[in-house]
Amino acid sequence: MRHITLLGCTFLIALSGCSQSTRHHEQESTDLTLAIAHINDHHSNLAAKQQISLRIAGEFTDVEVGGFPRVATKMARLQQRHPDLLKLHAGDAITGDLYYSLFQGDADAHLMREICFDAFTIGNHEFDDGDAHLAGFIRNLQDEQCQTPVLSANVRPEVGTPLAPNHDWELFQPYVIHDIAGHQVAIIGLTIAQKTRQSSQPLPSTNFLDELETARYYIDKLQQQGIGKIVLLTHYGYVNDILLAQRLPGVDVIVGGDSHSLLGDFAQVGLTADGDYPTMVTNLDGAPVCIVQGKDYAQVVGELVVHFRGDEVERCDGRPHLLVGNNFNRNGELLTGAERAKVLDYISGSDVLSLVEPEPKLQQLLESYSTRIDELSAQRIAYIPERLCRMDPGEAREESCGHASQSDLHYVVSKAFLNQSRHADIALQNAGGVRTDLPAGELSIAQVYQLLPFSNTLIHLQMHGHEIKQVLEDAIEYSITPGASAGGYPHGAGIRFTVDMTRPVNQRVSALEVQRNGSWQPLQMDESYIVVTNSFIASGQDGWATFGKVMASDRYQDTYINYAQAFIDFAREQKVLSRPDPSLHSTQRITQP
């Protein structure tokens, strides 16, 4: 048995079937060594990533990495090394892969229950399908064997709505207190506020409080209870976590997510890291704070060991574990014999690579979900002669993406929406809504659901030309606002324009043209146009505020066409999806500051 406390109420939770963890309740001593295993941002990527290239034993080698069954194996191993291990997940468990598109979080919750995290903080993408869907996901994380504490101190739903049907803190809590070797360790959850409010779909009545002020409030509250060992489990981003730690008293550890940051010395295997593992800063009291994050997509399990002297951190150590399989390829050939032995020897001595076999029970469970995905993957709908790349403005273009200066794939997606709309003059799409590249070759339905993984429909908006210009200005401003999202940047089809980022707000877009009857014409500010877009940004999310105003004025129609299905139908009709002529790109020229 182990003890956890939620909002001052202590519960005994049986661990049988959840993990092999035990907590030792001996008399409290002065010092504590706290071990934490953590992941973040797995985004429904439950299966292993096939054949990524790592520099192993001096040569680039293709190897399978990650997957939830490997996460389970690694955490079980760490549990053996650290009997009082805390297993933490820093948010964005769902959306982003076919396992979500098809199973709407059920597969994620099922595998997460098998690992049984000691705390899970709510990420912004947990709100992608609204409060009611998140409420169902939270309930799905609980069963007789595993009661995962779900946390977020700065998310406050209105009582009577799905996340608080009867009273405050009904489905999730601001913090949890774990008793570890006689020491009370508090874990406070935080969710990135502005990004969630603007880039997901929470109810308007759900409030997102300031991250710094909320953390300060709960740290003070816990210190008043005599609890001095405090962990923040944040979905707030690596840079934000560093700033947060420096501005707060009393915080000891931040286990983070949201920015998908790779921390540690990965240069040895050919990967670029964002910082040290752990990253050490000083809090407002002048005491050390250990900050960690574990990249994304169930590829890395972080192992953090915190050495406390009293209630203050003395030092932190540990390492990130990039989970790799045991088959290795170079130039398309499987390594055997001495070459394979050399790779295995390198991995065994690596500080960042861990050879891990999938946990059999979770692998079998995953395969039960994978069967349907495999069936869907077999359906081929179009041919792509050359790779179609998604690109952000100003981003360096890979050679295999061709020579155009803007994103081919965003145009193709927007063109699909425009064609399937049948009535629209212009299609507009946010950068972040297109999630992957499309490789050359046969296109499958499964790839489309990876490309467009959310539950959006196509929306028609009746807009004047000046409103179209304004929504582009809105989206561009949001895409460069600190703490917001570059995914708000606008792309489209049937429209093109010039962007000058050196100009003031609302003066960055010029040379606006729309395509009508095969020719380009200036956008008329007072003329009416029909714009087709996805339901997410149509409601004003991701910085597209003017769209939200148009919907509020009732100048819209929901087509109820699923946007991924619209792309599938377009691809089937076209049969071949080729790179567009650069003259069709929406951003014709961009001037960076």
Side-chain angles (χ1 to χ4, degrees):
M1 307 291 286
R2 68 177 166 89
H3 296 75
I4 67 170
T5 302
L6 296 169
L7 288 178
C9 300
T10 301
F11 301 90
L12 294 178
I13 297 185
L15 290 175
S16 59
C18 175
S19 74
Q20 298 301 308
S21 173
T22 58
R23 298 288 191 259
H24 303 292
H25 302 287
E26 58 205 36
Q27 185 174 0
E28 183 168 347
S29 62
T30 304
D31 301 336
L32 171 69
T33 298
L34 173 67
I36 297 172
H38 60 96
I39 66 169
N40 55 275
D41 296 272
H42 83 258
H43 282 290
S44 299
N45 283 257
L46 300 175
K49 291 293 180 187
Q50 301 293 324
Q51 303 301 315
I52 75 164
S53 185
L54 301 172
R55 187 168 58 226
I56 300 177
E59 296 187 54
F60 277 95
T61 306
D62 294 334
V63 60
E64 183 180 274
V65 300
F68 240 68
R70 285 196 175 94
V71 171
T73 296
K74 189 64 188 180
M75 288 197 168
R77 287 183 188 171
L78 294 177
Q79 190 93 62
Q80 293 173 351
R81 184 183 306 166
H82 311 287
D84 292 328
L85 183 75
L86 283 177
K87 302 187 295 293
L88 304 182
H89 192 310
D92 274 6
I94 56 176
T95 78
D97 193 82
L98 273 175
Y99 287 99
Y100 183 78
S101 300
L102 291 179
F103 306 116
Q104 294 294 295
D106 288 350
D108 297 277
H110 199 165
L111 271 70
M112 288 174 70
R113 289 198 308 267
E114 293 297 320
I115 290 177
C116 199
F117 291 92
D118 293 300
F120 166 72
T121 205
I122 296 170
N124 57 296
H125 280 284
E126 266 71 68
F127 281 97
D128 278 353
D129 285 315
D131 290 43
H133 188 275
L134 173 55
F137 179 68
I138 291 173
R139 289 188 175 97
N140 209 3
L141 285 174
Q142 322 298 326
D143 64 13
E144 292 182 359
Q145 302 301 322
C146 179
Q147 298 285 313
T148 298
V150 178
L151 309 178
S152 185
N154 65 317
V155 174
R156 298 305 306 271
E158 184 179 80
V159 174
T161 61
L163 286 170
N166 301 298
H167 56 80
D168 282 334
W169 304 121
E170 188 170 354
L171 294 184
F172 62 94
Q173 309 295 322
Y175 61 84
V176 61
I177 301 168
H178 284 277
D179 189 300
I180 300 175
H183 296 255
Q184 288 188 309
V185 177
I187 304 171
I188 303 169
L190 289 176
T191 302
I192 190 167
Q194 181 181 4
K195 187 176 183 180
T196 308
R197 190 184 297 113
Q198 296 293 325
S199 297
S200 292
Q201 299 191 81
L203 289 173
S205 59
T206 298
N207 290 319
F208 294 85
L209 308 181
D210 180 79
E211 300 89 348
L212 176 64
E213 293 304 317
T214 303
R216 183 181 288 122
Y217 172 83
Y218 280 104
I219 289 171
D220 181 63
K221 180 182 178 73
L222 288 160
Q223 288 179 327
Q224 289 179 26
Q225 298 174 35
I227 299 171
K229 298 177 179 68
I230 295 175
V231 177
L232 298 185
L233 183 61
T234 72
H235 194 82
Y236 192 36
Y238 177 57
V239 173
N240 289 334
D241 284 340
I242 292 173
L243 295 174
L244 189 67
Q246 294 169 336
R247 295 171 181 172
L248 284 172
V251 62
D252 299 303
V253 177
I254 299 181
V255 177
D258 182 62
S259 54
H260 299 218
S261 299
L262 180 66
L263 303 183
D265 181 12
F266 283 88
Q268 56 187 291
V269 296
L271 300 177
T272 301
D274 300 292
D276 294 335
Y277 186 102
T279 296
M280 301 300 300
V281 299
T282 302
N283 69 18
L284 203 58
D285 298 324
V289 183
C290 321
I291 300 174
V292 292
Q293 194 172 142
K295 199 178 183 294
D296 52 23
Y297 305 150
Q299 297 179 73
V300 172
V301 171
E303 177 190 7
L304 176 67
V305 182
V306 187
H307 303 273
F308 283 94
R309 178 64 60 106
D311 282 336
E312 190 170 295
V313 172
E314 184 177 52
R315 73 179 194 279
C316 289
D317 49 45
R319 56 185 280 203
H321 300 271
L322 179 59
L323 313 179
V324 301
N326 62 5
N327 289 326
F328 314 105
N329 290 270
R330 288 184 187 145
N331 301 316
E333 294 187 4
L334 186 68
L335 298 187
T336 59
E339 286 297 315
R340 173 180 166 80
K342 185 178 178 182
V343 168
L344 290 171
D345 184 61
Y346 179 89
I347 292 172
S348 68
S350 171
D351 293 331
V352 293
L353 301 182
S354 289
L355 189 70
V356 180
E357 290 294 326
E359 199 281 324
K361 181 180 178 182
L362 262 74
Q363 186 65 30
Q364 184 177 12
L365 179 59
L366 180 62
E367 287 171 359
S368 70
Y369 287 104
S370 301
T371 300
R372 282 179 57 193
I373 291 176
D374 291 341
E375 294 170 355
L376 196 61
S377 299
Q379 300 180 37
R380 309 295 172 175
I381 55 174
Y383 180 72
I384 300 174
E386 299 174 288
R387 178 184 173 197
L388 294 173
C389 299
R390 64 180 305 283
M391 246 183 74
D392 294 324
E395 184 179 27
R397 194 174 185 89
E398 295 179 31
E399 185 175 345
S400 63
C401 292
H403 303 293
S405 60
Q406 298 299 324
S407 173
D408 292 324
L409 190 50
H410 281 93
Y411 172 80
V412 174
V413 168
S414 301
K415 181 64 174 177
F417 294 169
L418 188 59
N419 272 37
Q420 298 309 113
S421 155
R422 312 298 183 194
H423 301 290
D425 303 299
I426 297 164
L428 290 173
Q429 165 71 26
N430 57 320
V434 177
R435 306 299 286 185
T436 66
D437 292 355
L438 290 179
E442 298 290 339
L443 175 68
S444 71
I445 290 177
Q447 287 173 291
V448 176
Y449 279 105
Q450 291 171 331
L451 175 73
L452 303 169
F454 306 115
S455 301
N456 290 321
T457 58
L458 297 186
I459 301 288
H460 286 155
L461 299 167
Q462 189 77 40
M463 302 180 69
H464 291 103
H466 65 88
E467 292 174 311
I468 293 170
K469 180 183 185 298
Q470 186 59 53
V471 80
L472 296 173
E473 297 277 9
D474 295 343
I476 289 168
E477 169 64 13
Y478 182 76
S479 74
I480 60 173
T481 299
S485 173
Y489 188 88
H491 295 271
I495 186 170
R496 63 186 187 183
F497 45 85
T498 294
V499 176
D500 187 346
M501 292 293 197
T502 68
R503 301 282 297 167
V505 175
N506 293 330
Q507 297 179 35
R508 297 186 176 115
V509 179
S510 62
L512 271 159
E513 295 181 309
V514 293
Q515 192 174 36
R516 283 185 164 176
N517 301 318
S519 64
W520 289 97
Q521 306 169 12
L523 180 79
Q524 302 299 316
M525 294 295 111
D526 294 327
E527 190 170 334
S528 182
Y529 300 88
I530 296 175
V531 178
V532 63
T533 190
N534 67 71
S535 53
F536 173 66
I537 58 172
S539 63
Q541 304 298 320
D542 236 6
W544 294 62
T546 300
F547 270 179
K549 294 175 183 177
V550 172
M551 285 196 75
S553 67
D554 208 30
R555 286 180 284 141
Y556 78 96
Q557 180 185 32
D558 193 335
T559 69
Y560 298 104
I561 299 171
N562 177 275
Y563 78 150
Q565 188 62 51
F567 191 89
I568 290 167
D569 292 342
F570 171 76
R572 280 176 168 149
E573 290 172 10
Q574 298 296 307
K575 296 183 174 58
V576 176
L577 298 180
S578 299
R579 287 177 181 164
D581 187 279
S583 66
L584 299 174
H585 287 149
S586 52
T587 301
Q588 283 292 290
R589 186 173 70 254
I590 184 167
T591 302
Q592 297 287 358

